[in-house]
Amino acid sequence: IIVLLAFIGYGRLLNIILSPAKKFDLGMQAAFGLALSVVVGGLFNLAGIISVLSIKIFVSVGVVSFLVFWFRNYRTWPLFARRIFVFIKTNKLFSIAVAVIFVIIFVRYGFAVSFFGFNGSDDHHGYMAFPAKMLQTGSLGNDPFSERRIESSLGGQYFLHAIILAQTSFKNLHLTDNGLGYLVLVLLLVGFLKEKKVNRNIILAVVILMTLVDSPVLNITAAYTAVSVFFLFFRLSYQAIEFKNNSSLRNALLIGLPLAALCALKSTFVLVS
């Protein structure tokens, strides 16, 4: 959750820098923070400075950014709390349904926190070794004889795993995709539906469907994280007319950042990008 807040903090910073005229919702901010983290991981890898300390500093700066933006509007908190109270009072059934969905999401997230095994013939000799190597040596390094490296990823997902390993252990590596990636995707979906002014009951039904649909997990490669970044790219492309008055450089960075992250997360996404 702390890493998610860091993503949102970095996403809000990027929002101010790259698109000051349009405020992104929490989902887009979180997805931008996720994409930025992958890109920053590449720069850290190039400089050979990946470590527990550098990752904790990176995450801490994102959390501080989130807190700064959050506390800037502290005067509106009482009014916001009153509005929520009134809404719950006048929409009891809907509020109960939202609470149930939160519980379901929390339970599903809990499965990502716990250890339920990896694909022994896949991850144990591949994906799990690379984030550890990053933390121990400072970079992913050259390994031209690694078939896993050549076929699977340019290293983006490994850096996200390294972020998790900086504070936890190998048994928590599902947190990267089925935890963080899943939460970012939920926020993106809700933000997109609200932006399109979809009826709140339909939004509720879509989120329920998303939380209940089973998504089999065979390994810890990029799935939800990649879908989130691609969804971010889709939303940016879908709203292209809203960036018409933005500078060309800002628009290039807005589009280029998620595309770069998508390519780095898994090499098979390069063709899609």
Side-chain angles (χ1 to χ4, degrees):
I1 299 300
I2 291 175
V3 176
L4 179 63
L5 297 183
F7 285 172
I8 295 173
Y10 279 119
R12 183 72 179 117
L13 277 174
L14 287 174
N15 188 179
I16 293 173
I17 296 171
L18 300 181
S19 182
K22 175 179 173 58
K23 184 178 180 180
F24 296 148
D25 55 67
L26 280 180
M28 291 188 71
Q29 291 175 17
F32 260 119
L34 171 63
L36 178 68
S37 298
V38 174
V39 174
V40 168
L43 297 176
F44 281 9
N45 181 72
L46 186 65
I49 58 172
I50 300 175
S51 66
V52 172
L53 178 60
S54 64
I55 286 175
K56 287 187 175 181
I57 291 174
F58 174 71
V59 172
S60 297
V61 172
V63 173
V64 170
S65 300
F66 172 83
L67 293 176
V68 168
F69 291 121
W70 180 263
F71 284 108
R72 276 177 58 186
N73 301 318
Y74 72 94
R75 293 180 181 177
T76 63
W77 290 0
L79 178 61
F80 181 70
R82 283 196 296 270
R83 286 180 177 176
I84 291 179
F85 178 76
V86 171
F87 180 84
I88 293 175
K89 192 174 181 180
T90 55
N91 301 271
K92 293 181 181 178
L93 187 60
F94 182 82
S95 301
I96 291 173
V98 171
V100 171
I101 290 177
F102 269 108
V103 171
I104 296 173
I105 292 175
F106 178 78
V107 171
R108 184 158 178 169
Y109 179 80
F111 281 106
V113 177
S114 62
F115 174 72
F116 54 91
F118 302 103
N119 187 342
S121 63
D122 189 2
D123 290 299
H124 285 173
H125 69 272
Y127 304 122
M128 297 179 72
F130 299 135
K133 181 182 178 182
M134 282 182 166
L135 292 175
Q136 292 170 7
T137 66
S139 69
L140 190 55
N142 295 319
D143 194 358
F145 300 105
S146 173
E147 183 181 357
R148 175 69 55 191
R149 277 273 305 276
I150 295 171
E151 291 184 352
S152 63
S153 174
L154 297 176
Q157 186 78 351
Y158 307 147
F159 181 73
L160 296 180
H161 289 323
I163 292 177
I164 300 301
L165 280 181
Q167 185 62 39
T168 60
S169 64
F170 285 105
K171 68 180 181 180
N172 304 119
L173 281 184
H174 280 298
L175 268 172
T176 305
D177 202 76
N178 289 287
L180 280 170
Y182 172 72
L183 293 181
V184 172
L185 185 58
V186 170
L187 292 174
L188 271 170
L189 181 62
V190 172
F192 177 71
L193 296 175
K194 286 181 64 179
E195 187 174 60
K196 298 305 162 189
K197 296 180 172 54
V198 176
N199 182 275
R200 70 185 186 189
N201 293 320
I202 296 178
I203 295 177
L204 199 65
V206 171
V207 175
I208 289 175
L209 183 64
M210 181 181 175
T211 55
L212 294 180
V213 169
D214 182 34
S215 53
V217 176
L218 296 178
N219 51 47
I220 53 175
T221 187
Y224 278 116
T225 50
V227 171
S228 298
V229 175
F230 186 80
F231 196 5
L232 171 64
F233 172 67
F234 167 77
R235 291 188 61 180
L236 290 170
S237 304
Y238 192 80
Q239 301 166 353
I241 193 171
E242 298 185 21
F243 303 108
K244 188 175 181 180
N245 296 323
N246 212 14
S247 71
S248 299
L249 178 59
R250 285 173 172 172
N251 286 336
L253 291 172
L254 280 172
I255 296 296
L257 190 64
L259 283 180
L262 195 62
C263 292
L265 283 173
K266 199 170 180 67
S267 56
T268 49
F269 299 146
V270 174
L271 292 175
V272 179
S273 303

